[in-house]
Amino acid sequence: MVGTYDLHYYQIDQIKRVRIVRRSDGCYVQFCIQADRNVDIQPAGKTIELDVGLSAFYTDSNGLKVDNPRHLRKSEKALKRLQKRVSRKKKGSNNRKRAVKKLGRKHLKVSRQRKDHAVKQALCVVKSNDFVAFEKLQIRNMVKNRRLAKSISDAGWSQFTQWLEYFGKVYGRIVVSVPPQYTSQNCSECGEVVKKSLSMRTHICKCGCVLDRDHNAAINILDKALKQAGYQLSTVGHTETHNAWEPLRW
Ligand SMILES: [Zn+2]
């Protein structure tokens, strides 16, 4: 058996479940193992608030944008071509079976690329911040909007947030999700509601606050997250404030 982890390292009674999974490039055996995974790392002294949007994979409260991986879109042409090949082949023929296999492998590759990106981004965010806040998106509702559906499922956001929460536990970081109400509509300076359609990318408020839409939302998300944790943004500030909520940890 060829594996990614050395199974001999674990006791037999730690193996809780074994599952055989068939993918288009072969069969896999998954071992579900009970193990405590805790990694001690130094406090990073930083906080981060993420807003996942359509124009970027996420935007953080410092204004940094991480680009969307458009694996699916890039591979779309290839997928279409392979799909066409399948439908041209005679039903039940060996040629068709072969074409189906090729198509399945391409889909598999795209989904692996998507997962890989989500895991790497999440690990990077958790390792370099003590406090991570993000917006809990109602992705299922958003996918109903057909125009957005492709970008949303392509970005793999739900995977990303799941990995954020997982790595948060592993590395002992605080990961908070915030309900999404009005985070993009309210002004992060004065709290006034500034109505925006999805296509409006800049937040412009009467109070003079002009910010990128996602940046504004990210600051609002931090505000909410700290309020949930019992702190006010005004007493904490945005950055270099880890001491303010140090007692919160553990
Ligand atoms: Zn304002």
Short mmCIF file of all heavy atoms in Angstrom, two decimals, residues 114-177:
data_model
loop_
_atom_site.label_atom_id
_atom_site.label_comp_id
_atom_site.label_asym_id
_atom_site.label_seq_id
_atom_site.Cartn_x
_atom_site.Cartn_y
_atom_site.Cartn_z
N ARG A 114 -8.29 23.25 -6.41
CA ARG A 114 -9.10 24.17 -5.62
C ARG A 114 -8.87 23.92 -4.13
O ARG A 114 -8.68 24.83 -3.34
CB ARG A 114 -10.57 23.95 -5.97
CG ARG A 114 -11.48 24.99 -5.38
CD ARG A 114 -12.92 24.62 -5.62
NE ARG A 114 -13.27 24.65 -7.02
CZ ARG A 114 -14.07 23.76 -7.60
NH1 ARG A 114 -14.58 22.77 -6.89
NH2 ARG A 114 -14.35 23.86 -8.87
N LYS A 115 -8.85 22.64 -3.76
CA LYS A 115 -8.64 22.30 -2.36
C LYS A 115 -7.24 22.73 -1.92
O LYS A 115 -7.07 23.33 -0.85
CB LYS A 115 -8.81 20.79 -2.15
CG LYS A 115 -8.65 20.40 -0.70
CD LYS A 115 -8.56 18.90 -0.51
CE LYS A 115 -8.02 18.59 0.87
NZ LYS A 115 -7.67 17.19 1.04
N ASP A 116 -6.26 22.45 -2.74
CA ASP A 116 -4.88 22.79 -2.43
C ASP A 116 -4.75 24.28 -2.13
O ASP A 116 -4.12 24.68 -1.15
CB ASP A 116 -3.99 22.40 -3.62
CG ASP A 116 -2.53 22.62 -3.33
OD1 ASP A 116 -2.04 21.97 -2.39
OD2 ASP A 116 -1.89 23.43 -4.02
N HIS A 117 -5.36 25.09 -2.97
CA HIS A 117 -5.30 26.53 -2.78
C HIS A 117 -5.95 26.94 -1.46
O HIS A 117 -5.38 27.71 -0.69
CB HIS A 117 -5.99 27.24 -3.95
CG HIS A 117 -5.97 28.73 -3.85
ND1 HIS A 117 -4.90 29.48 -4.24
CD2 HIS A 117 -6.89 29.60 -3.36
CE1 HIS A 117 -5.15 30.76 -4.02
NE2 HIS A 117 -6.36 30.86 -3.50
N ALA A 118 -7.13 26.38 -1.18
CA ALA A 118 -7.85 26.72 0.04
C ALA A 118 -7.04 26.36 1.28
O ALA A 118 -6.93 27.14 2.23
CB ALA A 118 -9.21 26.01 0.07
N VAL A 119 -6.43 25.18 1.27
CA VAL A 119 -5.67 24.72 2.43
C VAL A 119 -4.45 25.60 2.65
O VAL A 119 -4.18 26.04 3.77
CB VAL A 119 -5.22 23.25 2.24
CG1 VAL A 119 -4.28 22.82 3.34
CG2 VAL A 119 -6.43 22.33 2.20
N LYS A 120 -3.74 25.91 1.58
CA LYS A 120 -2.52 26.71 1.71
C LYS A 120 -2.83 28.11 2.22
O LYS A 120 -2.14 28.63 3.10
CB LYS A 120 -1.79 26.79 0.37
CG LYS A 120 -0.96 25.54 0.13
CD LYS A 120 -0.21 25.62 -1.17
CE LYS A 120 0.52 24.31 -1.42
NZ LYS A 120 0.75 24.07 -2.85
N GLN A 121 -3.88 28.71 1.66
CA GLN A 121 -4.24 30.06 2.10
C GLN A 121 -4.64 30.06 3.57
O GLN A 121 -4.25 30.93 4.34
CB GLN A 121 -5.39 30.62 1.25
CG GLN A 121 -5.03 30.94 -0.18
CD GLN A 121 -3.97 32.00 -0.29
OE1 GLN A 121 -3.84 32.84 0.58
NE2 GLN A 121 -3.21 31.97 -1.37
N ALA A 122 -5.45 29.07 3.96
CA ALA A 122 -5.94 29.01 5.34
C ALA A 122 -4.78 28.83 6.31
O ALA A 122 -4.70 29.51 7.34
CB ALA A 122 -6.95 27.88 5.49
N LEU A 123 -3.85 27.95 5.97
CA LEU A 123 -2.71 27.69 6.85
C LEU A 123 -1.87 28.96 7.01
O LEU A 123 -1.46 29.31 8.12
CB LEU A 123 -1.86 26.56 6.28
CG LEU A 123 -0.66 26.14 7.12
CD1 LEU A 123 -1.11 25.64 8.48
CD2 LEU A 123 0.16 25.07 6.42
N CYS A 124 -1.67 29.64 5.92
CA CYS A 124 -0.86 30.86 5.93
C CYS A 124 -1.52 31.92 6.82
O CYS A 124 -0.86 32.56 7.64
CB CYS A 124 -0.71 31.36 4.50
SG CYS A 124 0.26 32.84 4.35
N VAL A 125 -2.83 32.09 6.69
CA VAL A 125 -3.56 33.09 7.47
C VAL A 125 -3.48 32.75 8.96
O VAL A 125 -3.19 33.61 9.80
CB VAL A 125 -5.04 33.17 7.02
CG1 VAL A 125 -5.88 33.92 8.03
CG2 VAL A 125 -5.14 33.82 5.66
N VAL A 126 -3.72 31.50 9.31
CA VAL A 126 -3.76 31.11 10.72
C VAL A 126 -2.37 31.20 11.35
O VAL A 126 -2.22 31.65 12.48
CB VAL A 126 -4.33 29.68 10.86
CG1 VAL A 126 -4.11 29.14 12.26
CG2 VAL A 126 -5.81 29.68 10.54
N LYS A 127 -1.34 30.82 10.60
CA LYS A 127 0.01 30.85 11.15
C LYS A 127 0.47 32.26 11.45
O LYS A 127 1.22 32.49 12.38
CB LYS A 127 0.99 30.18 10.18
CG LYS A 127 1.14 28.69 10.42
CD LYS A 127 2.28 28.16 9.59
CE LYS A 127 2.72 26.79 10.06
NZ LYS A 127 3.73 26.22 9.15
N SER A 128 0.05 33.22 10.62
CA SER A 128 0.62 34.55 10.80
C SER A 128 -0.31 35.52 11.54
O SER A 128 -0.04 36.70 11.60
CB SER A 128 1.04 35.12 9.45
OG SER A 128 0.06 34.89 8.48
N ASN A 129 -1.38 34.99 12.15
CA ASN A 129 -2.26 35.86 12.93
C ASN A 129 -2.76 35.15 14.19
O ASN A 129 -2.98 33.95 14.17
CB ASN A 129 -3.47 36.29 12.10
CG ASN A 129 -3.07 37.12 10.91
OD1 ASN A 129 -2.80 38.31 11.04
ND2 ASN A 129 -2.98 36.49 9.75
N ASP A 130 -2.95 35.93 15.26
CA ASP A 130 -3.48 35.34 16.49
C ASP A 130 -5.00 35.31 16.47
O ASP A 130 -5.63 34.52 17.16
CB ASP A 130 -3.07 36.17 17.72
CG ASP A 130 -1.56 36.26 17.82
OD1 ASP A 130 -0.91 35.25 17.57
OD2 ASP A 130 -1.06 37.35 18.15
N PHE A 131 -5.56 36.25 15.73
CA PHE A 131 -7.01 36.43 15.76
C PHE A 131 -7.49 36.55 14.33
O PHE A 131 -7.05 37.44 13.59
CB PHE A 131 -7.32 37.70 16.56
CG PHE A 131 -8.78 37.97 16.76
CD1 PHE A 131 -9.39 37.66 17.96
CD2 PHE A 131 -9.54 38.56 15.76
CE1 PHE A 131 -10.74 37.92 18.16
CE2 PHE A 131 -10.89 38.81 15.94
CZ PHE A 131 -11.49 38.49 17.14
N VAL A 132 -8.37 35.66 13.92
CA VAL A 132 -8.88 35.68 12.56
C VAL A 132 -10.39 35.81 12.61
O VAL A 132 -11.06 35.01 13.27
CB VAL A 132 -8.51 34.40 11.78
CG1 VAL A 132 -9.01 34.45 10.36
CG2 VAL A 132 -7.01 34.16 11.82
N ALA A 133 -10.92 36.82 11.96
CA ALA A 133 -12.37 36.97 11.88
C ALA A 133 -12.77 36.92 10.42
O ALA A 133 -12.08 37.44 9.56
CB ALA A 133 -12.80 38.29 12.49
N PHE A 134 -13.87 36.25 10.14
CA PHE A 134 -14.35 36.26 8.76
C PHE A 134 -15.87 36.22 8.75
O PHE A 134 -16.50 35.89 9.75
CB PHE A 134 -13.77 35.09 7.95
CG PHE A 134 -14.22 33.74 8.41
CD1 PHE A 134 -15.38 33.17 7.92
CD2 PHE A 134 -13.49 33.05 9.37
CE1 PHE A 134 -15.80 31.92 8.36
CE2 PHE A 134 -13.90 31.81 9.80
CZ PHE A 134 -15.07 31.24 9.31
N GLU A 135 -16.39 36.54 7.60
CA GLU A 135 -17.83 36.61 7.45
C GLU A 135 -18.38 35.24 7.15
O GLU A 135 -17.89 34.54 6.26
CB GLU A 135 -18.13 37.56 6.30
CG GLU A 135 -19.51 38.08 6.27
CD GLU A 135 -19.65 39.11 5.16
OE1 GLU A 135 -18.89 39.03 4.19
OE2 GLU A 135 -20.50 39.98 5.29
N LYS A 136 -19.39 34.86 7.90
CA LYS A 136 -20.01 33.56 7.65
C LYS A 136 -20.98 33.73 6.48
O LYS A 136 -22.05 34.29 6.61
CB LYS A 136 -20.76 33.10 8.89
CG LYS A 136 -21.30 31.70 8.75
CD LYS A 136 -20.63 30.74 9.72
CE LYS A 136 -20.82 29.31 9.30
NZ LYS A 136 -19.70 28.47 9.62
N LEU A 137 -20.57 33.23 5.33
CA LEU A 137 -21.39 33.43 4.14
C LEU A 137 -22.46 32.38 4.01
O LEU A 137 -22.25 31.22 4.34
CB LEU A 137 -20.50 33.36 2.90
CG LEU A 137 -19.67 34.59 2.61
CD1 LEU A 137 -18.63 34.25 1.57
CD2 LEU A 137 -20.54 35.72 2.12
N GLN A 138 -23.58 32.79 3.51
CA GLN A 138 -24.64 31.84 3.20
C GLN A 138 -24.41 31.38 1.77
O GLN A 138 -25.08 31.83 0.85
CB GLN A 138 -26.02 32.51 3.32
CG GLN A 138 -26.27 33.12 4.68
CD GLN A 138 -26.44 32.08 5.75
OE1 GLN A 138 -27.20 31.15 5.59
NE2 GLN A 138 -25.73 32.22 6.85
N ILE A 139 -23.43 30.49 1.62
CA ILE A 139 -23.01 30.17 0.26
C ILE A 139 -24.12 29.48 -0.52
O ILE A 139 -24.32 29.73 -1.70
CB ILE A 139 -21.72 29.33 0.28
CG1 ILE A 139 -20.59 30.24 0.74
CG2 ILE A 139 -21.40 28.76 -1.09
CD1 ILE A 139 -19.30 29.57 1.02
N ARG A 140 -24.90 28.66 0.18
CA ARG A 140 -25.95 27.94 -0.54
C ARG A 140 -26.93 28.92 -1.17
O ARG A 140 -27.36 28.73 -2.30
CB ARG A 140 -26.66 26.98 0.41
CG ARG A 140 -27.18 25.77 -0.33
CD ARG A 140 -27.72 24.71 0.63
NE ARG A 140 -26.72 24.25 1.57
CZ ARG A 140 -27.01 23.84 2.81
NH1 ARG A 140 -28.24 23.88 3.24
NH2 ARG A 140 -26.07 23.41 3.60
N ASN A 141 -27.26 29.99 -0.43
CA ASN A 141 -28.16 30.98 -0.98
C ASN A 141 -27.53 31.73 -2.14
O ASN A 141 -28.19 32.05 -3.12
CB ASN A 141 -28.55 32.00 0.09
CG ASN A 141 -29.49 31.39 1.11
OD1 ASN A 141 -30.10 30.35 0.84
ND2 ASN A 141 -29.58 32.00 2.26
N MET A 142 -26.22 31.98 -2.02
CA MET A 142 -25.57 32.76 -3.06
C MET A 142 -25.45 31.97 -4.35
O MET A 142 -25.50 32.52 -5.43
CB MET A 142 -24.19 33.22 -2.59
CG MET A 142 -24.29 34.27 -1.50
SD MET A 142 -22.68 34.79 -0.95
CE MET A 142 -22.23 35.93 -2.25
N VAL A 143 -25.29 30.66 -4.21
CA VAL A 143 -25.13 29.85 -5.43
C VAL A 143 -26.45 29.81 -6.21
O VAL A 143 -26.46 29.57 -7.41
CB VAL A 143 -24.60 28.44 -5.08
CG1 VAL A 143 -24.55 27.54 -6.30
CG2 VAL A 143 -23.19 28.54 -4.52
N LYS A 144 -27.55 30.09 -5.52
CA LYS A 144 -28.85 30.15 -6.21
C LYS A 144 -28.86 31.25 -7.26
O LYS A 144 -29.55 31.16 -8.25
CB LYS A 144 -29.96 30.42 -5.18
CG LYS A 144 -30.47 29.13 -4.55
CD LYS A 144 -31.64 29.43 -3.65
CE LYS A 144 -31.86 28.29 -2.69
NZ LYS A 144 -32.42 28.76 -1.43
N ASN A 145 -28.08 32.31 -6.98
CA ASN A 145 -27.94 33.35 -7.98
C ASN A 145 -27.05 32.81 -9.10
O ASN A 145 -25.85 32.69 -8.96
CB ASN A 145 -27.29 34.58 -7.32
CG ASN A 145 -27.11 35.72 -8.30
OD1 ASN A 145 -27.08 35.52 -9.52
ND2 ASN A 145 -27.01 36.90 -7.78
N ARG A 146 -27.65 32.48 -10.23
CA ARG A 146 -26.92 31.70 -11.24
C ARG A 146 -25.75 32.45 -11.85
O ARG A 146 -24.76 31.87 -12.24
CB ARG A 146 -27.87 31.24 -12.35
CG ARG A 146 -28.73 30.08 -11.90
CD ARG A 146 -29.57 29.55 -13.02
NE ARG A 146 -28.78 29.10 -14.15
CZ ARG A 146 -29.24 29.01 -15.38
NH1 ARG A 146 -30.47 29.35 -15.64
NH2 ARG A 146 -28.48 28.59 -16.36
N ARG A 147 -25.88 33.77 -11.90
CA ARG A 147 -24.82 34.56 -12.50
C ARG A 147 -23.55 34.49 -11.64
O ARG A 147 -22.45 34.57 -12.13
CB ARG A 147 -25.28 36.01 -12.64
CG ARG A 147 -24.69 36.75 -13.81
CD ARG A 147 -25.46 38.03 -14.05
NE ARG A 147 -25.58 38.82 -12.82
CZ ARG A 147 -24.65 39.68 -12.41
NH1 ARG A 147 -23.57 39.86 -13.10
NH2 ARG A 147 -24.83 40.37 -11.30
N LEU A 148 -23.75 34.34 -10.32
CA LEU A 148 -22.62 34.31 -9.42
C LEU A 148 -22.14 32.89 -9.13
O LEU A 148 -21.04 32.69 -8.66
CB LEU A 148 -22.99 34.97 -8.08
CG LEU A 148 -23.37 36.44 -8.12
CD1 LEU A 148 -23.72 36.91 -6.72
CD2 LEU A 148 -22.24 37.27 -8.68
N ALA A 149 -23.02 31.93 -9.44
CA ALA A 149 -22.77 30.57 -8.96
C ALA A 149 -21.39 30.05 -9.34
O ALA A 149 -20.70 29.48 -8.51
CB ALA A 149 -23.84 29.62 -9.50
N LYS A 150 -20.99 30.29 -10.57
CA LYS A 150 -19.73 29.72 -11.02
C LYS A 150 -18.55 30.30 -10.27
O LYS A 150 -17.69 29.56 -9.79
CB LYS A 150 -19.56 29.91 -12.52
CG LYS A 150 -18.48 29.00 -13.06
CD LYS A 150 -18.42 29.01 -14.55
CE LYS A 150 -19.47 28.16 -15.21
NZ LYS A 150 -19.64 28.48 -16.61
N SER A 151 -18.54 31.63 -10.12
CA SER A 151 -17.41 32.24 -9.41
C SER A 151 -17.35 31.76 -7.98
O SER A 151 -16.29 31.56 -7.41
CB SER A 151 -17.53 33.76 -9.39
OG SER A 151 -18.07 34.23 -10.57
N ILE A 152 -18.54 31.58 -7.39
CA ILE A 152 -18.57 31.21 -5.98
C ILE A 152 -18.08 29.79 -5.76
O ILE A 152 -17.18 29.56 -4.95
CB ILE A 152 -19.97 31.39 -5.40
CG1 ILE A 152 -20.29 32.88 -5.31
CG2 ILE A 152 -20.06 30.77 -4.01
CD1 ILE A 152 -21.74 33.18 -5.07
N SER A 153 -18.63 28.86 -6.51
CA SER A 153 -18.17 27.49 -6.25
C SER A 153 -16.74 27.31 -6.71
O SER A 153 -16.01 26.50 -6.16
CB SER A 153 -19.09 26.46 -6.87
OG SER A 153 -19.87 27.02 -7.88
N ASP A 154 -16.32 28.11 -7.68
CA ASP A 154 -14.95 28.04 -8.14
C ASP A 154 -13.98 28.43 -7.03
O ASP A 154 -12.93 27.85 -6.86
CB ASP A 154 -14.78 28.95 -9.36
CG ASP A 154 -13.49 28.71 -10.09
OD1 ASP A 154 -12.74 27.81 -9.67
OD2 ASP A 154 -13.22 29.40 -11.07
N ALA A 155 -14.33 29.45 -6.30
CA ALA A 155 -13.39 29.98 -5.33
C ALA A 155 -13.19 29.04 -4.15
O ALA A 155 -12.20 29.12 -3.44
CB ALA A 155 -13.88 31.34 -4.84
N GLY A 156 -14.12 28.12 -3.92
CA GLY A 156 -13.96 27.18 -2.84
C GLY A 156 -13.96 27.82 -1.47
O GLY A 156 -13.20 27.45 -0.59
N TRP A 157 -14.85 28.80 -1.29
CA TRP A 157 -14.85 29.53 -0.03
C TRP A 157 -15.19 28.68 1.18
O TRP A 157 -14.60 28.81 2.24
CB TRP A 157 -15.86 30.67 -0.08
CG TRP A 157 -15.47 31.72 -1.02
CD1 TRP A 157 -14.21 31.95 -1.53
CD2 TRP A 157 -16.31 32.71 -1.58
NE1 TRP A 157 -14.25 33.00 -2.38
CE2 TRP A 157 -15.52 33.49 -2.43
CE3 TRP A 157 -17.67 33.00 -1.44
CZ2 TRP A 157 -16.04 34.55 -3.14
CZ3 TRP A 157 -18.19 34.06 -2.13
CH2 TRP A 157 -17.38 34.82 -2.99
N SER A 158 -16.18 27.82 1.02
CA SER A 158 -16.60 27.07 2.20
C SER A 158 -15.48 26.14 2.64
O SER A 158 -15.22 25.98 3.82
CB SER A 158 -17.89 26.31 1.94
OG SER A 158 -17.72 25.43 0.87
N GLN A 159 -14.76 25.59 1.66
CA GLN A 159 -13.60 24.79 1.98
C GLN A 159 -12.59 25.63 2.76
O GLN A 159 -12.07 25.21 3.79
CB GLN A 159 -12.94 24.33 0.68
CG GLN A 159 -13.01 22.86 0.48
CD GLN A 159 -12.31 22.43 -0.79
OE1 GLN A 159 -11.71 23.23 -1.52
NE2 GLN A 159 -12.38 21.16 -1.08
N PHE A 160 -12.36 26.83 2.27
CA PHE A 160 -11.41 27.74 2.89
C PHE A 160 -11.77 28.02 4.35
O PHE A 160 -10.93 27.90 5.24
CB PHE A 160 -11.37 29.04 2.08
CG PHE A 160 -10.49 30.12 2.64
CD1 PHE A 160 -9.14 29.90 2.82
CD2 PHE A 160 -11.03 31.36 2.97
CE1 PHE A 160 -8.32 30.91 3.33
CE2 PHE A 160 -10.23 32.36 3.47
CZ PHE A 160 -8.87 32.13 3.65
N THR A 161 -13.04 28.34 4.59
CA THR A 161 -13.43 28.69 5.97
C THR A 161 -13.37 27.46 6.88
O THR A 161 -13.01 27.58 8.05
CB THR A 161 -14.83 29.33 6.02
OG1 THR A 161 -15.76 28.44 5.39
CG2 THR A 161 -14.85 30.65 5.32
N GLN A 162 -13.69 26.29 6.33
CA GLN A 162 -13.56 25.07 7.14
C GLN A 162 -12.11 24.82 7.55
O GLN A 162 -11.83 24.46 8.69
CB GLN A 162 -14.07 23.86 6.35
CG GLN A 162 -15.58 23.71 6.41
CD GLN A 162 -16.09 22.74 5.35
OE1 GLN A 162 -15.33 21.97 4.77
NE2 GLN A 162 -17.38 22.78 5.10
N TRP A 163 -11.21 25.04 6.62
CA TRP A 163 -9.79 24.84 6.95
C TRP A 163 -9.30 25.90 7.92
O TRP A 163 -8.44 25.62 8.76
CB TRP A 163 -8.95 24.81 5.67
CG TRP A 163 -9.05 23.49 4.96
CD1 TRP A 163 -9.84 23.21 3.88
CD2 TRP A 163 -8.40 22.26 5.31
NE1 TRP A 163 -9.71 21.89 3.54
CE2 TRP A 163 -8.83 21.28 4.38
CE3 TRP A 163 -7.49 21.90 6.30
CZ2 TRP A 163 -8.38 19.98 4.43
CZ3 TRP A 163 -7.05 20.59 6.34
CH2 TRP A 163 -7.49 19.64 5.42
N LEU A 164 -9.82 27.12 7.79
CA LEU A 164 -9.46 28.17 8.76
C LEU A 164 -9.81 27.72 10.17
O LEU A 164 -9.01 27.83 11.10
CB LEU A 164 -10.23 29.46 8.46
CG LEU A 164 -9.70 30.43 7.43
CD1 LEU A 164 -10.63 31.62 7.31
CD2 LEU A 164 -8.29 30.91 7.79
N GLU A 165 -11.02 27.20 10.34
CA GLU A 165 -11.47 26.78 11.66
C GLU A 165 -10.64 25.60 12.15
O GLU A 165 -10.28 25.53 13.33
CB GLU A 165 -12.97 26.44 11.63
CG GLU A 165 -13.79 27.72 11.66
CD GLU A 165 -15.27 27.51 11.37
OE1 GLU A 165 -15.65 26.43 10.87
OE2 GLU A 165 -16.03 28.46 11.64
N TYR A 166 -10.33 24.70 11.25
CA TYR A 166 -9.54 23.54 11.64
C TYR A 166 -8.13 23.95 12.09
O TYR A 166 -7.68 23.59 13.17
CB TYR A 166 -9.46 22.54 10.47
CG TYR A 166 -8.49 21.42 10.73
CD1 TYR A 166 -8.78 20.44 11.68
CD2 TYR A 166 -7.26 21.36 10.08
CE1 TYR A 166 -7.88 19.42 11.95
CE2 TYR A 166 -6.35 20.35 10.34
CZ TYR A 166 -6.67 19.38 11.27
OH TYR A 166 -5.77 18.39 11.55
N PHE A 167 -7.46 24.75 11.26
CA PHE A 167 -6.10 25.16 11.62
C PHE A 167 -6.10 26.04 12.87
O PHE A 167 -5.15 26.03 13.65
CB PHE A 167 -5.43 25.90 10.45
CG PHE A 167 -4.99 24.99 9.34
CD1 PHE A 167 -5.31 25.26 8.03
CD2 PHE A 167 -4.23 23.86 9.63
CE1 PHE A 167 -4.90 24.42 7.00
CE2 PHE A 167 -3.82 23.00 8.61
CZ PHE A 167 -4.15 23.29 7.30
N GLY A 168 -7.18 26.79 13.07
CA GLY A 168 -7.32 27.59 14.28
C GLY A 168 -7.22 26.70 15.52
O GLY A 168 -6.56 27.04 16.50
N LYS A 169 -7.88 25.56 15.46
CA LYS A 169 -7.84 24.62 16.59
C LYS A 169 -6.44 24.03 16.74
O LYS A 169 -5.91 23.91 17.84
CB LYS A 169 -8.86 23.50 16.37
CG LYS A 169 -10.25 23.92 16.77
CD LYS A 169 -11.24 22.77 16.57
CE LYS A 169 -12.66 23.33 16.53
NZ LYS A 169 -13.48 22.62 15.55
N VAL A 170 -5.85 23.64 15.62
CA VAL A 170 -4.53 23.00 15.67
C VAL A 170 -3.48 23.95 16.25
O VAL A 170 -2.67 23.56 17.09
CB VAL A 170 -4.12 22.53 14.26
CG1 VAL A 170 -2.67 22.05 14.27
CG2 VAL A 170 -5.04 21.42 13.79
N TYR A 171 -3.51 25.21 15.82
CA TYR A 171 -2.46 26.14 16.22
C TYR A 171 -2.87 27.02 17.41
O TYR A 171 -2.16 27.95 17.76
CB TYR A 171 -2.06 27.02 15.03
CG TYR A 171 -1.29 26.25 13.98
CD1 TYR A 171 -1.94 25.65 12.91
CD2 TYR A 171 0.09 26.09 14.09
CE1 TYR A 171 -1.24 24.92 11.97
CE2 TYR A 171 0.79 25.37 13.16
CZ TYR A 171 0.13 24.78 12.10
OH TYR A 171 0.84 24.06 11.19
N GLY A 172 -4.02 26.77 17.99
CA GLY A 172 -4.45 27.53 19.16
C GLY A 172 -4.71 29.00 18.87
O GLY A 172 -4.43 29.86 19.69
N ARG A 173 -5.22 29.29 17.69
CA ARG A 173 -5.57 30.67 17.33
C ARG A 173 -7.07 30.85 17.46
O ARG A 173 -7.83 29.88 17.35
CB ARG A 173 -5.17 30.97 15.89
CG ARG A 173 -3.75 30.65 15.52
CD ARG A 173 -2.77 31.51 16.24
NE ARG A 173 -1.56 31.69 15.44
CZ ARG A 173 -0.39 32.04 15.95
NH1 ARG A 173 -0.28 32.28 17.25
NH2 ARG A 173 0.65 32.21 15.18
N ILE A 174 -7.48 32.09 17.63
CA ILE A 174 -8.91 32.36 17.70
C ILE A 174 -9.43 32.63 16.30
O ILE A 174 -8.95 33.53 15.61
CB ILE A 174 -9.21 33.58 18.60
CG1 ILE A 174 -8.63 33.34 19.99
CG2 ILE A 174 -10.71 33.83 18.68
CD1 ILE A 174 -8.70 34.53 20.88
N VAL A 175 -10.38 31.83 15.89
CA VAL A 175 -11.01 32.03 14.58
C VAL A 175 -12.49 32.27 14.82
O VAL A 175 -13.17 31.43 15.39
CB VAL A 175 -10.79 30.81 13.66
CG1 VAL A 175 -11.50 31.01 12.33
CG2 VAL A 175 -9.30 30.58 13.42
N VAL A 176 -12.97 33.44 14.44
CA VAL A 176 -14.35 33.81 14.70
C VAL A 176 -15.07 34.05 13.40
O VAL A 176 -14.57 34.74 12.52
CB VAL A 176 -14.43 35.12 15.54
CG1 VAL A 176 -15.85 35.42 15.93
CG2 VAL A 176 -13.55 35.01 16.77
N SER A 177 -16.25 33.46 13.26
CA SER A 177 -17.04 33.80 12.09
C SER A 177 -18.16 34.74 12.52
O SER A 177 -18.70 34.62 13.61
CB SER A 177 -17.62 32.53 11.45
OG SER A 177 -18.52 31.92 12.33
#
